Amino acid sequence: MRQFQQVWDKAQPYVDAERFAAVQNKLRSQSGNAVLWKDACLLYFQQFSHMPIPATVEPPMHTLEAVIANDSPPRPPRQPRQP
Protein backbone atom coordinates (compact mmCIF):
# COMPACT_ATOMS: atom_id res chain seq x y z
CA MET A 1 0.00 0.00 0.00
CA ARG A 2 1.31 3.41 -0.89
CA GLN A 3 1.85 6.06 1.74
CA PHE A 4 -0.91 8.39 0.49
CA GLN A 5 -3.42 5.57 0.85
CA GLN A 6 -2.35 5.07 4.46
CA VAL A 7 -2.86 8.78 5.13
CA TRP A 8 -6.32 8.65 3.56
CA ASP A 9 -7.24 5.59 5.63
CA LYS A 10 -6.55 7.62 8.79
CA ALA A 11 -9.06 10.25 7.60
CA GLN A 12 -11.95 7.75 7.52
CA PRO A 13 -13.48 8.83 10.86
CA TYR A 14 -13.70 12.42 9.59
CA VAL A 15 -15.25 11.77 6.15
CA ASP A 16 -18.65 10.41 5.15
CA ALA A 17 -18.63 6.79 3.93
CA GLU A 18 -19.59 7.55 0.32
CA ARG A 19 -16.87 10.17 -0.15
CA PHE A 20 -14.30 8.02 1.64
CA ALA A 21 -15.01 5.04 -0.64
CA ALA A 22 -14.97 7.18 -3.80
CA VAL A 23 -11.59 8.72 -2.98
CA GLN A 24 -10.18 5.38 -1.86
CA ASN A 25 -11.16 3.83 -5.22
CA LYS A 26 -9.52 6.68 -7.10
CA LEU A 27 -6.33 6.36 -5.05
CA ARG A 28 -6.17 2.62 -5.76
CA SER A 29 -6.69 3.22 -9.47
CA GLN A 30 -4.02 5.94 -9.56
CA SER A 31 -1.61 3.71 -7.65
CA GLY A 32 -2.10 0.90 -10.15
CA ASN A 33 -1.61 3.28 -13.07
CA ALA A 34 1.56 4.68 -11.49
CA VAL A 35 3.04 1.18 -11.15
CA LEU A 36 2.13 0.40 -14.75
CA TRP A 37 3.75 3.60 -16.06
CA LYS A 38 6.83 3.08 -13.87
CA ASP A 39 7.24 -0.43 -15.27
CA ALA A 40 6.69 0.75 -18.84
CA CYS A 41 9.28 3.52 -18.55
CA LEU A 42 11.90 1.39 -16.83
CA LEU A 43 11.55 -1.52 -19.21
CA TYR A 44 11.30 0.59 -22.36
CA PHE A 45 14.56 2.43 -21.70
CA GLN A 46 16.25 -0.68 -20.35
CA GLN A 47 15.89 -2.34 -23.73
CA PHE A 48 18.19 0.35 -25.17
CA SER A 49 20.61 0.77 -22.28
CA HIS A 50 20.96 -2.96 -21.52
CA MET A 51 21.71 -1.94 -17.93
CA PRO A 52 20.24 -3.72 -14.94
CA ILE A 53 17.58 -1.97 -12.91
CA PRO A 54 19.27 -0.68 -9.73
CA ALA A 55 18.49 -2.52 -6.51
CA THR A 56 17.26 0.76 -5.02
CA VAL A 57 14.42 0.93 -7.57
CA GLU A 58 11.22 -1.06 -7.09
CA PRO A 59 11.44 -3.91 -9.61
CA PRO A 60 8.86 -4.07 -12.41
CA MET A 61 5.69 -6.01 -11.69
CA HIS A 62 4.87 -6.37 -15.40
CA THR A 63 6.78 -7.20 -18.55
CA LEU A 64 7.07 -4.66 -21.33
CA GLU A 65 5.10 -7.01 -23.58
CA ALA A 66 2.25 -7.17 -21.04
CA VAL A 67 2.17 -3.38 -20.73
CA ILE A 68 2.02 -2.98 -24.51
CA ALA A 69 -0.61 -5.71 -24.88
CA ASN A 70 -2.84 -4.09 -22.25
CA ASP A 71 -2.41 -0.56 -23.55
CA SER A 72 -5.70 1.04 -24.46
CA PRO A 73 -6.20 2.03 -28.09
CA PRO A 74 -5.45 5.64 -28.96
CA ARG A 75 -8.31 8.09 -28.83
CA PRO A 76 -9.58 9.45 -32.13
CA PRO A 77 -8.44 12.99 -32.90
CA ARG A 78 -10.67 15.74 -31.62
CA GLN A 79 -12.79 17.39 -34.24
CA PRO A 80 -12.53 21.18 -34.43
CA ARG A 81 -15.60 23.07 -33.29
CA GLN A 82 -17.83 24.33 -36.03
CA PRO A 83 -18.51 28.08 -35.89
Side-chain angles (χ1 to χ4, degrees), residues 5-81:
Q5 290 172 313
Q6 293 171 352
V7 171
W8 180 246
D9 288 344
K10 292 177 184 176
Q12 185 174 11
Y14 309 103
V15 182
D16 63 90
E18 184 179 346
R19 186 179 318 255
F20 179 80
V23 172
Q24 192 174 49
N25 288 334
K26 288 180 182 180
L27 289 174
R28 286 184 181 145
S29 176
Q30 289 174 349
S31 179
N33 287 335
V35 169
L36 193 64
W37 275 99
K38 183 249 330 158
D39 290 355
C41 291
L42 281 174
L43 295 169
Y44 175 77
F45 288 108
Q46 186 188 40
Q47 72 181 345
F48 300 109
S49 71
H50 303 288
M51 295 176 64
I53 295 172
T56 57
V57 175
E58 180 182 358
M61 297 176 67
H62 307 87
T63 64
L64 184 57
E65 293 78 18
V67 172
I68 292 170
N70 291 318
D71 192 26
S72 58
R75 294 182 184 177
R78 294 181 79 181
Q79 297 296 322
R81 293 184 185 184

